[in-house]
Amino acid sequence: MMRRVVLLASSVMMLVGLVILTWSFRDLPLDERPGWMAWQMILWPIVALGLPEVWRLRGYAKRGWKIRVDRYKLLVHAIPAFLVAVLPAGALTTWLGSDSFFSLLDFPTAKVMAALWLAYALWSCWEVHLP
């Protein structure tokens, strides 16, 4: 029963976080995103998606199972997602040119999706092994 409550709370937190982020970006020009918004955008999904994961991992640890981190997954997923989410708007366009494929990662939609990608990468990299 408690697991279902945690999952429901996590879902509600994610919806609220997406509304707040969208509201924050709505009337903001691309180059005027304040620094606190980038950290809010990153921390909110990590906390919201982490609630059920911490609950699940805690249950496995209580059973005596070993929990390990897949460092390779962190390297190839979490770091690129983090960089896309926190780079200032226009950085990739300036470095690679406006005709570059990667300049599309400067838009707010890509930044929000990168924050969700980061949260998913951080919580899905935990592996559970029988002792």
Side-chain angles (χ1 to χ4, degrees):
M1 176 63 179
M2 189 60 168
R3 181 179 182 276
R4 289 181 181 217
V5 172
V6 170
L7 282 171
L8 179 64
S10 170
S11 178
V12 169
M13 282 182 65
M14 199 62 171
L15 287 173
V16 170
L18 288 173
V19 168
I20 289 170
L21 286 172
T22 305
W23 187 12
S24 300
F25 277 126
R26 188 183 62 191
D27 298 325
L28 198 64
L30 269 175
D31 58 346
E32 294 183 14
R33 181 182 65 156
W36 64 265
M37 194 179 294
W39 290 109
Q40 172 189 347
M41 178 177 60
I42 290 171
L43 292 177
W44 198 275
I46 289 174
V47 171
L49 294 176
L51 285 175
E53 289 303 309
V54 168
W55 190 265
R56 184 178 64 87
L57 292 172
R58 195 186 90 175
Y60 289 142
K62 278 185 174 181
R63 293 185 198 132
W65 296 8
K66 294 182 181 181
I67 300 170
R68 297 185 186 140
V69 177
D70 181 354
R71 292 185 186 128
Y72 182 73
K73 188 171 192 174
L74 280 178
L75 178 70
V76 299
H77 278 280
I79 291 175
F82 178 77
L83 291 175
V84 169
V86 300
L87 280 174
L92 292 169
T93 303
T94 301
W95 295 336
L96 303 172
S98 61
D99 58 342
S100 168
F101 174 77
F102 294 106
S103 67
L104 294 171
L105 297 176
D106 284 333
F107 286 97
T109 306
K111 302 234 178 249
V112 171
M113 290 185 70
L116 294 172
W117 178 25
L118 174 63
Y120 178 76
L122 288 176
W123 290 114
S124 68
C125 72
W126 296 94
E127 297 177 344
V128 179
H129 299 278
L130 292 173

